[in-house]
Amino acid sequence: MIPLVHDFTDQTVLVFGGGTVGERKARRFAAEARVVVVSPEFTDALAGTATAREATHETWRPSGEGPGIELVRDAPTADTVSGWVDRVDPTLVVAATDVEAVNEAAAAAARSRKVLVNRTDRAGGRDAGSVVVPATVDDGSVSVAVTTGGASPALSKYLRERLEDDLAGAGAMADLTRDLRTDLKTRDLTPGERRAAMRRVVRSSRVWKALRTGTTNARKVAEDVIRIETTNPSEREREDS
C-alpha cells in the first residue's frame, strides 16, 4: 500500500457502525468532511457531539449543513448498505459494524462505485481501493503518519506516542522555513546556496531550542544561522566543531 494524503474538504464519509471503532473513525474525519454514521445505536460520546436523526433509509435526506457528524438511526443490513452508498454519495465508506456480512456488503458496494473503503475488521491482504487510516502525530502544519498496513494497530499507536515529543516545534519550524524560503529568493544567492541555508536552519539545535522554548527570537536565530552559512565559512566550521 502506498501512503497518500487526502483532502476531505467538502466531501462525505459514510460510516457503518456507531460503536467505539465507528466513533473513532467519525471523529477523525469530521474535522474536514461531512460524516454520516448509520447505526441502530451510538456510543454516548458520539451521540453527544453529533446531530442525531431518527430516520429510515427510505425517508432520510442529507441536511446540507456542512461538515460535522450526522447520526442516522437505522440498522444496516447486507441488503440495505448499497442503498445508503447511493443516497449519501461518499468519497470514503468505513465498514465498522460487528457483522462481517454487513462489512463485506459495504465494501463491495463501495468498490462497485469506485469509492474508497476502510474495512475495520480486516488486516493483512486487501482489495484494490482499500484505505488504512494511520496513527498520526500532528504539530501545526506538520503531520507524521505511522501504519503497519493494518497488521498491528498496537505497534502503530506505540510508535506514534514515541514520535510526539520529537515533533514538538515542527509546525513552527515549517512556518518559519516557509517564510525564510520566500525571503531568500529576493537575495543574491544561488539556488544551491539557498538550499544549503535551509538545510542548516532545519538542522540547527539553536533554532529548534528557540522554537520550543520561546526564550529567544527564532527568526533572529535562524537569520544568524543563514548568515554564517552564506557569508562566513570559517565561523560555520567553528560552529560545526
Side-chain angles (χ1 to χ4, degrees), residues 1 6 23 28 41 45 67-68 87 105 112 134 160 162 164 170 172 181-182 200 226 229 238:
M1 303 189 80
H6 188 95
E23 175 197 332
R28 180 70 177 278
E41 297 180 351
R87 285 168 172 79
S112 69
R160 183 201 69 197
R162 291 196 60 178
E164 287 176 345
R181 285 180 62 207
T182 300
R200 177 71 62 169
I226 292 172
E229 172 65 30
R238 288 197 301 272

Side-chain angles (χ1 to χ4, degrees), residues 28-220:
R28 180 70 177 278
F29 290 106
E32 285 190 354
R34 167 178 167 260
V35 178
V36 178
V37 184
V38 180
S39 179
E41 297 180 351
F42 307 99
T43 63
D44 291 341
L46 188 58
T49 60
T51 301
R53 299 180 181 279
E54 293 288 344
T56 68
H57 62 276
E58 289 91 359
T59 61
W60 178 85
R61 294 291 185 276
S63 67
E65 294 171 353
I69 302 174
E70 298 177 25
L71 305 184
V72 181
R73 197 173 297 279
D74 184 52
T77 69
D79 295 326
T80 63
V81 292
S82 180
W84 278 110
V85 175
D86 287 338
R87 285 168 172 79
V88 176
D89 189 26
T91 298
L92 170 68
V93 170
V94 178
T97 78
D98 56 3
V99 181
E100 183 176 2
V102 174
N103 291 339
E104 178 58 37
R111 288 195 298 271
S112 69
R113 294 159 180 79
K114 301 188 184 303
V115 173
L116 297 174
V117 59
N118 172 225
R119 186 169 174 179
T120 64
D121 62 345
R122 286 286 178 86
R126 295 179 181 272
D127 298 316
S130 293
V131 171
V132 173
V133 182
T136 59
V137 182
D138 299 306
D139 190 292
S141 58
V142 175
S143 296
V144 174
V146 179
T147 177
T148 60
S152 180
L155 177 58
S156 294
K157 181 179 179 180
Y158 168 71
L159 294 174
R160 183 201 69 197
E161 291 170 347
R162 291 196 60 178
L163 287 168
E164 287 176 345
D165 290 339
D166 290 340
L167 279 184
M173 177 65 85
D175 294 340
L176 173 63
T177 51
R178 176 196 59 211
D179 295 342
L180 288 171
R181 285 180 62 207
T182 300
D183 183 59
L184 286 179
K185 290 178 181 179
T186 67
R187 303 185 191 183
D188 186 21
L189 298 172
T190 67
E193 288 173 331
R194 293 198 299 267
R195 288 192 295 270
M198 297 313 301
R199 285 195 298 269
R200 177 71 62 169
V201 169
V202 299
R203 288 168 171 77
S204 170
S205 60
R206 291 197 294 139
V207 177
W208 280 104
K209 182 178 180 180
L211 290 170
R212 287 168 171 166
T213 64
T215 55
T216 54
N217 188 306
R219 177 64 183 252
K220 290 183 178 180

